[in-house]
Amino acid sequence: MKKKTVAFYTLGCKVNQYETNAMKQKFIEKDYEIVDFEEAADIYVVNTCTVTNMSDRKSRQIIRRAKESNKNSLLVVTGCYAQVAKDELEKIEEIDIVIGNQEKKDIVTFVEEKQKEKIEKVSDILYEKSFAEFGASTYTDKTRAVIKVQDGCDRFCSYCIIPYARGRIRSRKPEEVIAEIEQLAKKGIKEVVITGIHLASYGKEYKPHISLLELLKEINKIDGIERIRLGSLEPTLMTKEFIEGLVKLEKICDHFHLSLQSGCDETLERMNRRYTAEEFEEGIKIIRENFPNVSLTTDVIVGFPGETEEEFSKTYEFLERIKFYKMHVFKYSARKGTKAAVMQNQITGEIKEKRSNKLIELSNKNQKEQNQKYIGKEIDVLFEEQDGEYIKGHTTNYIMVYVKSEDKTLEDTIRKVKITNALDEHLIGKCI
């Protein structure tokens, strides 16, 4: 008998990527076949995002075109947009099942129970106290595997809807994390990305308290895993104790993504970010003292309500001084239900565009300059996949490297590469 087919589309963060892979595994265990989203499938799953208005719009677009290849298919919508916008999704006739973030682990059950009536199962996530455990072995078809260890956020930044979409902080049991990574190591996975909605909060609700550093120490012991990469981190986590603990773990990658959002204290205060630009810079100093080749990336919001030209100038000057390898620049997007959405002095789209372009130009300049420094150097690259006549992969500090080769045996291996050229966004080299 022909297997039923399932196609996925994932929007948003690495946590969503992890949960999509976990849902895929649930279907595989029940003998379904995973196919590409553009193919005709029996079931389509759209894992949505709601971090910005643009994310909402993109989620609706994907939902509306999901059934184009098969009008008789079943359409499941889940993720953060599904969690906070159930009323809006009720208006989209094509949808058969809507489930919240906490219900993702039971997706196959909902699909197999579906009869004629539309299913909507979205719990009030603000009252959830337990981590939604998918199981100890998740689907992956790549060299690098994303591992979700934490969910929820208690910070309530004034611009952010995510605490309402993901709920309060909930941490995964260390033994479950270790079990999953051990299984992935047996499959030949060499790099794991440890991620969460607010990774810095890992273990805080446990008694006795378990820290993220303690978890990383255990992951570092797992045979077969050669690289441990950390997802987006709260700047307040970058203490001397934490960084000096990390540098002792030989598998930790020297790439850190720290969500700055603004380099101006007045703006940070309105954002409810709970740190100052000076504290952030002190953390950067500690990191660079301990990881000499570190690559630092960040997120920045421009046009936050009340951001004056002077405040933006402070942010620009701060970013010029820090010299991030790459900056992800976001134009402020008002989210209904957040404090910032009703703040006075909202910024015009024209001003946001101008400020965004200025920071993107700075980011591109920084990346190009830092890439040039690698010409002639020898660095380790974990090769991931073929791209035309080149094979590409990443360094430990997450710089993309291309090597001219069609030797597929290089995939999933770590090789020494001599860098011969540096382009704006990546390096070119040859294996030695």
Side-chain angles (χ1 to χ4, degrees):
M1 190 173 74
K2 186 177 179 292
K3 290 183 178 182
K4 283 194 173 183
T5 54
V6 190
F8 286 80
Y9 196 104
T10 308
L11 298 106
C13 65
K14 283 187 168 64
V15 170
N16 254 14
Q17 292 173 29
Y18 170 86
E19 291 170 347
T20 289
N21 286 338
M23 288 188 284
K24 285 180 180 179
Q25 180 64 22
K26 291 291 184 184
F27 278 105
I28 290 168
E29 288 169 359
K30 291 291 185 177
D31 208 30
Y32 289 76
E33 181 184 351
I34 308 299
V35 298
D36 189 82
F37 193 78
E38 303 305 323
E39 294 181 34
D42 298 307
I43 302 149
Y44 292 95
V45 180
V46 181
N47 195 3
T48 62
C49 175
T50 192
V51 72
T52 65
N53 287 331
M54 189 67 74
S55 304
D56 288 357
R57 193 177 306 125
K58 177 75 170 173
S59 294
R60 289 192 296 270
Q61 288 172 351
I62 299 301
I63 289 165
R64 290 188 187 280
R65 75 175 175 87
K67 287 189 175 185
E68 287 180 358
S69 299
N70 181 6
K71 300 292 184 186
N72 298 317
S73 61
L74 194 72
L75 174 56
V76 185
V77 177
T78 185
C80 291
Y81 183 56
Q83 186 70 47
V84 301
K86 191 173 71 169
D87 293 346
E88 293 176 31
L89 294 178
E90 285 175 354
K91 301 171 187 174
I92 303 178
E93 293 181 3
E94 296 93 333
I95 299 173
D96 299 291
I97 300 173
V98 179
I99 58 174
N101 282 320
Q102 197 73 359
E103 287 73 37
K104 286 176 177 176
K105 65 185 188 303
D106 301 315
I107 187 170
V108 180
T109 300
F110 289 115
V111 166
E112 294 185 342
E113 286 180 353
K114 175 73 174 70
Q115 300 297 322
K116 292 182 179 180
E117 297 299 316
K118 184 173 183 176
I119 293 177
E120 292 182 354
K121 180 64 176 174
V122 181
S123 62
D124 189 339
I125 205 155
L126 286 173
Y127 290 96
E128 292 289 350
K129 294 183 178 179
S130 60
F131 184 92
E133 183 60 62
F134 283 91
S137 181
T138 58
Y139 169 90
T140 181
D141 58 357
K142 296 180 179 178
T143 303
R144 176 185 300 108
V146 176
I147 309 296
K148 176 186 167 188
V149 304
Q150 185 276 337
D151 208 342
C153 182
D154 290 350
R155 308 299 279 182
F156 289 93
C157 297
S158 62
Y159 55 83
C160 187
I161 197 69
I162 295 304
Y164 303 97
R166 285 285 176 174
R168 301 285 187 171
I169 60 169
R170 305 180 303 286
S171 303
R172 192 176 182 190
K173 293 178 181 176
E175 58 269 26
E176 296 288 351
V177 176
I178 300 304
E180 180 176 5
I181 297 176
E182 286 176 342
Q183 294 238 12
L184 289 166
K186 289 175 184 175
K187 291 180 180 181
I189 296 296
K190 290 182 172 57
E191 180 178 312
V192 289
V193 183
I194 308 303
T195 191
I197 296 299
H198 192 259
L199 198 52
S201 293
Y202 179 81
K204 284 190 175 178
E205 76 274 34
Y206 288 141
K207 293 181 180 177
H209 169 62
I210 302 169
S211 72
L212 177 62
L213 184 58
E214 288 173 297
L215 177 67
L216 295 173
K217 287 177 182 177
E218 294 306 310
I219 297 171
N220 195 67
K221 297 175 185 176
I222 298 174
D223 290 338
I225 299 299
E226 297 188 41
R227 291 183 177 182
I228 304 168
R229 197 175 296 283
L230 296 177
S232 182
L233 295 171
E234 180 76 9
T236 54
L237 186 62
M238 296 294 110
T239 62
K240 191 171 186 289
E241 179 187 20
F242 182 73
I243 296 301
E244 288 181 352
L246 279 188
V247 80
K248 293 174 184 174
L249 306 180
E250 71 279 3
K251 296 179 183 180
I252 289 289
C253 290
D254 47 355
H255 164 244
F256 300 106
H257 184 87
L258 306 174
S259 296
L260 171 65
Q261 309 306 1
S262 175
C264 169
D265 289 346
E266 292 87 349
T267 311
L268 287 170
E269 187 174 358
R270 290 197 304 281
M271 289 178 168
N272 193 32
R273 287 298 286 170
R274 308 187 199 190
Y275 54 82
T276 65
E278 184 180 358
E279 288 167 344
F280 187 99
E281 191 165 4
E282 182 59 32
I284 296 292
K285 181 182 175 185
I286 296 168
I287 293 170
R288 285 178 165 153
E289 285 173 351
N290 286 276
F291 292 93
N293 296 315
V294 71
S295 175
L296 295 169
T297 55
T298 195
D299 300 320
V300 185
I301 296 172
V302 296
F304 188 76
E307 184 186 60
T308 63
E309 281 299 328
E310 183 184 0
E311 288 184 2
F312 175 71
S313 293
K314 286 182 182 178
T315 291
Y316 188 86
E317 289 163 10
F318 182 84
L319 294 169
E320 258 192 325
R321 188 165 67 252
I322 296 295
K323 293 188 183 301
F324 287 100
Y325 178 74
K326 189 174 181 63
M327 300 184 293
H328 302 279
V329 183
F330 299 90
K331 288 171 277 193
Y332 170 72
S333 173
R335 307 299 291 122
K336 184 180 176 182
T338 63
K339 288 184 178 181
V342 294
M343 284 181 177
Q344 294 183 342
N345 301 317
Q346 298 285 327
I347 308 300
T348 66
E350 184 182 357
I351 292 174
K352 290 178 190 176
E353 184 73 17
K354 182 181 175 184
R355 292 174 184 174
S356 174
N357 289 340
K358 192 171 181 181
L359 290 190
I360 290 170
E361 186 180 329
L362 176 62
S363 177
N364 292 341
K365 174 175 172 283
N366 288 345
Q367 188 173 16
K368 186 176 181 179
E369 285 177 356
Q370 291 182 48
N371 280 350
Q372 291 291 323
K373 295 176 183 177
Y374 286 93
I375 295 176
K377 291 187 176 179
E378 297 178 2
I379 46 181
D380 290 331
V381 176
L382 173 56
F383 287 111
E384 295 153 30
E385 59 183 346
Q386 203 72 33
D387 188 351
E389 60 181 351
Y390 288 86
I391 189 165
K392 63 183 180 180
H394 284 89
T395 61
T396 57
N397 55 0
Y398 209 57
I399 298 175
M400 177 69 80
V401 177
Y402 283 75
V403 169
K404 197 168 186 178
S405 174
E406 294 185 15
D407 180 2
K408 291 204 169 184
T409 63
L410 286 174
E411 289 184 18
D412 303 335
T413 65
I414 296 175
R415 295 287 299 273
K416 187 78 72 179
V417 173
K418 184 168 185 177
I419 302 304
T420 56
N421 197 8
L423 303 184
D424 290 356
E425 295 186 356
H426 63 265
L427 306 175
I428 296 174
K430 57 183 181 181
C431 291
I432 54 176

